[in-house]
């Protein structure tokens, strides 16, 4: 974000990483101060096959009443919930948006609702908001989902420019409103960079590695 949107990188920003795995993060001055994820990736937003935030009593019910073993409950929560479980159609947002099944529409609405709900929580953690960022597979490529979420965030000053949103422009907000950006993500590159950094801490780089770009 500091490279592609430096004008907002130092402020109070909510980043919505929306994909098959989904989370939202509150950044202040470039540092994370709150996240929708908890002890594991099961918490927070509904995802492709993970439920997001649920009552812990659900796990107790699955084990005590439905007779699931801990392993079965874990497999169910990681593989058969979220958009897949809500819709009974697919865990792929593209398929859900094109489906005529009412359960698919319900899953899409629920996803947008929970994202907007989490934005309110993160804005409270930041004590205000200077910008909003969409990223990852759904966040970067689904104008429809961006619009559904943005429509619920008007109270924060969010208003999208329909044409900019439709063409997936880097900035999709209307002039004079809360800045809303679409920023590409590259998880594989970040994992590689962090791995390399860790390896260099345990084994100093050679002169050739230091000269490498």
């Amino acid at each position: 974000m500091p490279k592609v949107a430096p004008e907002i990188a130092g402020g109070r920003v909510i980043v919505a990483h929306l994909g098959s795995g989904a989370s939202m993060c509150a950044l202040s001055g470039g540092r994370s101060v709150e996240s929708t994820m908890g002890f594991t990736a099961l918490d927070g937003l509904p995802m492709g096959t993970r439920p997001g935030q649920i009552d812990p009593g659900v796990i107790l019910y699955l084990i005590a009443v439905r007779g699931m073993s801990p392993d079965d409950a874990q497999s169910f929560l990681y593989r058969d919930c979220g958009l897949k479980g809500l819709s009974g159609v697919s865990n792929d947002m593209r398929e859900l948006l094109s489906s005529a099944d009412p359960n698919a529409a319900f899953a899409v609405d629920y996803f947008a609702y929970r994202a907007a709900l989490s934005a309110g929580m993160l804005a409270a953690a930041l004590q205000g908001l200077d910008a909003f960022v969409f990223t990852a597979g759904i966040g970067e490529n689904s104008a429809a989902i961006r619009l559904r979420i943005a429509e619920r965030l008007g109270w924060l000053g969010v208003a999208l420019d329909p044409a900019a949103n439709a063409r997936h422009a880097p900035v999709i907000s209307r002039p004079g409103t809360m800045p809303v950006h679409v920023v590409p993500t590259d998880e594989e590159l970040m994992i590689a960079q962090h791995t390399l950094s860790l390896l260099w801490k345990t084994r100093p780089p050679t002169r050739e590695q230091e000269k490498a770009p």
Side-chain angles (χ1 to χ4, degrees):
M1 192 164 64
K3 293 180 180 178
V4 300
E7 68 275 20
I8 66 168
R12 298 168 298 179
V13 183
I14 292 175
V15 177
H17 180 107
L18 307 178
S20 182
S23 66
M24 294 171 67
C25 181
L27 297 173
S28 179
R31 297 189 64 182
S32 171
V33 297
E34 186 58 86
S35 170
T36 56
M37 285 194 174
F39 179 67
T40 71
L42 287 178
D43 200 6
L45 300 181
M47 309 181 203
T49 61
R50 289 173 283 194
Q53 183 181 5
I54 57 171
D55 181 346
V58 171
I59 291 91
L60 301 177
Y61 169 81
L62 292 175
I63 294 173
V65 179
R66 297 297 296 271
M68 284 189 176
S69 69
D71 285 345
D72 289 340
Q74 176 173 287
S75 178
F76 173 70
L77 292 170
Y78 274 97
R79 295 186 174 92
D80 295 311
C81 295
L83 297 176
K84 177 183 177 182
L86 288 169
S87 69
V89 174
S90 174
N91 66 336
D92 190 318
M93 182 61 76
R94 293 166 296 186
E95 294 183 25
L96 297 180
L97 286 168
S98 63
S99 174
D101 191 312
N103 290 324
F106 170 74
V108 172
D109 287 343
Y110 182 76
F111 181 85
Y113 171 75
R114 295 299 302 190
L117 202 66
S118 294
M121 174 191 74
L122 296 174
L126 290 168
Q127 292 291 285
L129 189 63
D130 299 316
F132 193 97
V133 171
F134 287 102
T135 190
I138 297 172
E140 292 175 43
N141 300 301
S142 178
I145 293 299
R146 291 195 299 259
L147 178 60
R148 286 176 185 241
I149 295 172
E151 287 176 338
R152 293 181 176 273
L153 301 180
W155 63 278
L156 283 171
V158 173
L160 299 191
D161 179 320
N165 186 43
R167 68 174 184 270
H168 311 293
V171 179
I172 58 174
S173 49
R174 293 178 184 171
T177 65
M178 174 72 64
V180 180
H181 291 243
V182 178
V183 176
T185 189
D186 192 337
E187 294 173 280
E188 290 80 6
L189 176 61
M190 294 306 301
I191 291 170
Q193 288 177 341
H194 284 299
T195 301
L196 187 60
S197 176
L198 179 62
L199 290 173
W200 281 7
K201 286 181 181 179
T202 58
R203 176 184 290 182
T206 64
R207 290 184 179 180
E208 288 74 15
Q209 288 172 327
E210 288 178 335
K211 294 178 181 178

